[in-house]
Amino acid sequence: EIPPSYVWEEILHCLPHVKKLRILYCAPDCPAAPTTGYLSVENCPECISQNRERLISLHIGTYHDYLDSDNFDGTKPDLVVGFNTGIHEEESERWLRTIDRVLDMQVPTVFTAFHLDEALLDMTLVKILRANIMDDPPTLNPFRDRHECIDSQQTKERTDGFYQGNMYCILFCGRR
């Protein structure tokens, strides 16, 4: 999931000390990038007057594949975020390789999930790699989507019938 560009400008507004925000999207289903490297995104007049930049890059593939590619310039990220990862459901093997690499980098990481049950299952997989979990159990995300969606995948254990995008967070950094 790629959040709208204005979300990142809002982050610049919340973090006035940040002058350059580089955002990298990695996903096997990521839209094709028009070029390699980072593209500058237009900012509001206030950010322009303060010489603030937003740079965005798209990579088709997993994050661990990106780290092994010629496109990776060796810059360690300040934060890694995975939106509605669902790592317990599909592509678990690929996710585990990516998480393993992120843990080695000792970078604060946030993974989100649609609901608490999913977050707990995802956390179980993260714990297998001995992640240093910062919040156990997962926390309700204050920045989650504000609209609720009807869940057509209800189970006996989970019958509330609704979910929200990025509803719960798993926070971890490095290994224990």
Side-chain angles (χ1 to χ4, degrees):
E1 290 183 24
I2 298 179
S5 177
Y6 65 81
V7 169
W8 304 112
E9 186 164 28
E10 187 60 32
I11 289 174
L12 276 179
H13 294 170
C14 292
L15 301 170
H17 65 282
V18 173
K19 295 296 182 191
K20 183 184 286 188
L21 184 62
R22 289 182 5 157
I23 301 123
L24 169 69
Y25 296 108
C26 290
D29 60 351
C30 192
T35 181
T36 58
Y38 286 84
L39 298 173
S40 183
V41 178
E42 187 177 343
N43 283 328
C44 70
E46 179 185 343
C47 287
I48 292 170
S49 72
Q50 296 176 15
N51 296 319
R52 302 175 87 194
E53 288 184 273
R54 282 182 299 148
L55 304 168
I56 296 178
S57 183
L58 304 173
H59 174 76
I60 299 172
T62 63
Y63 187 59
H64 64 267
D65 288 338
Y66 170 77
L67 294 174
D68 293 332
S69 77
D70 292 337
N71 293 329
F72 179 55
D73 65 5
T75 303
K76 182 177 167 181
D78 294 312
L79 176 69
V80 172
V81 180
F83 298 105
N84 299 315
T85 58
I87 59 176
H88 71 283
E89 290 180 334
E90 36 185 278
E91 306 294 339
S92 293
E93 184 64 34
R94 271 204 254 177
W95 270 113
L96 291 176
R97 290 192 350 228
T98 290
I99 295 166
D100 193 48
R101 296 288 296 274
V102 170
L103 293 174
D104 286 344
M105 294 180 349
Q106 298 283 322
V107 175
T109 304
V110 179
F111 279 6
T112 67
F114 288 112
H115 50 76
L116 181 59
D117 297 340
E118 182 177 82
L120 290 168
L121 291 169
D122 288 352
M123 183 179 276
T124 299
L125 287 177
V126 171
K127 285 180 175 179
I128 288 171
L129 295 174
R130 298 181 29 251
N132 180 28
I133 304 291
M134 309 303 282
D135 62 340
D136 194 355
T139 57
L140 194 59
N141 180 1
F143 303 105
R144 67 190 175 276
D145 293 352
R146 294 297 174 208
H147 64 280
E148 292 184 336
C149 299
I150 296 173
D151 189 354
S152 62
Q153 303 282 323
Q154 294 182 47
T155 64
K156 290 179 188 174
E157 297 81 29
R158 193 175 168 281
T159 58
D160 61 3
F162 296 95
Y163 67 90
Q164 291 172 281
N166 304 300
M167 189 172 187
Y168 280 87
C169 291
I170 302 168
L171 307 173
F172 54 96
C173 183
R175 297 186 199 277
R176 19 180 183 95

